[in-house]
Amino acid sequence: GRIVVRCEAAAGMAVRVEWGSSVKLDQFADARETPVFDVAPRGFGTAMYEAVLTGIEPGRRYVYRFSVQGEDGPLFPFRAPPRDGTRTPFRFVVTSDSQHHPEVHRRIVERGMLALVDGARPEDSLAFVLMAGDLVDLGHVRDQWQDLVFDPLRELAGRIPLYCALGNHEDDANFFFCYLGLPRRYAYTYANCRFVTLDTNTGQRTAEQLAWL
């Protein structure tokens, strides 16, 4: 299997991801700058970097970190998802409308979600978070993505996947696509369950999307 990890750093940097099944971190992958959308975030002197971790075994725990220009970042653990079609219990969280009161959002993450990330058994662990839109209030304001999304989720986002849908407050902003690396609509499988994320905003409830579904 494979896992994709992303980070933001200054443009033109040498970015590497080191990972392994222990803190030994015996594998690495060089990250590449991903295509950016207009001025987001290239106009601010930064870029998004993406690395693909291969040879990932289903259900196994790993540790990884980003290294930018040789400077190591913090270690983050993650558990690989089970093999597609596996009949196994799992937990996930659905949340939305986090565009106000980031201090409340942070408390929910720190007091609720983080405690579930590393359960004694895989089925006790939090597998992922599904955010059903309105992550920010004004999608074209870059600072809101930092203040309302990534700061409250700082300790969580490096450990489990975030699957996000476009809300009307994202206003179709390029920051959504660039930061999250997600398309407008998509589907994914976890264990024996299929999840589908649609864009139900005005102008997107189309025959094309219905045909895709």
Side-chain angles (χ1 to χ4, degrees):
R2 49 178 254 162
I3 296 287
V4 178
V5 292
R6 297 166 57 85
C7 77
E8 182 182 14
M13 295 288 101
V15 179
R16 171 173 286 188
V17 178
E18 301 171 312
W19 85 95
S21 56
S22 69
V23 293
K24 184 180 178 182
L25 304 180
D26 54 358
Q27 301 182 73
F28 71 88
D30 291 321
R32 63 179 181 86
E33 286 193 36
T34 62
V36 293
F37 298 80
D38 298 336
V39 298
R42 171 69 75 176
F44 299 93
T46 63
M48 296 304 297
Y49 293 84
E50 182 176 285
V52 180
L53 316 186
T54 58
I56 301 296
E57 298 180 18
R60 189 170 182 178
R61 292 188 78 257
Y62 292 88
V63 180
Y64 79 100
R65 71 182 173 200
F66 279 95
S67 175
V68 180
Q69 295 291 102
E71 184 174 341
D72 295 335
L75 289 170
F76 288 106
F78 72 89
R79 188 186 299 275
R83 196 180 307 277
D84 287 358
T86 303
R87 297 187 64 179
T88 182
F90 63 93
R91 292 180 173 185
F92 64 97
V93 166
V94 179
T95 182
S96 70
D97 294 88
S98 57
Q99 74 268 41
H100 300 300
H101 307 294
E103 70 284 356
V104 175
H105 190 195
R106 183 177 291 105
R107 287 201 299 271
I108 292 172
V109 170
E110 293 176 350
R111 300 180 185 181
M113 300 184 197
L114 277 176
L116 299 174
V117 170
D118 289 313
R121 302 175 301 171
E123 58 266 33
D124 296 328
S125 300
L126 187 61
F128 57 86
V129 173
L130 196 163
M131 303 186 73
D134 288 353
L135 287 68
V136 296
D137 190 37
L138 300 169
H140 292 279
V141 178
R142 180 181 186 246
D143 287 348
Q144 289 201 2
W145 290 91
Q146 185 66 46
D147 297 340
L148 303 180
V149 181
F150 297 116
D151 276 352
L153 292 171
R154 181 180 302 275
E155 295 301 320
L156 185 70
R159 292 170 165 81
I160 61 174
L162 304 176
Y163 295 110
C164 304
L166 274 165
N168 64 303
H169 280 272
E170 275 72 68
D171 200 22
D172 221 26
N174 289 326
F175 287 117
F176 176 92
F177 304 104
C178 189
Y179 278 138
L180 299 173
L182 295 170
R184 184 177 301 280
R185 57 178 181 258
Y186 56 97
Y188 53 96
T189 299
Y190 194 96
N192 64 341
C193 296
R194 188 70 169 165
F195 295 85
V196 179
T197 301
L198 301 175
D199 182 355
T200 59
N201 288 294
T202 301
Q204 297 300 325
R205 298 188 290 272
T206 63
E208 178 188 0
Q209 182 165 247
L210 183 61
W212 175 87
L213 179 63

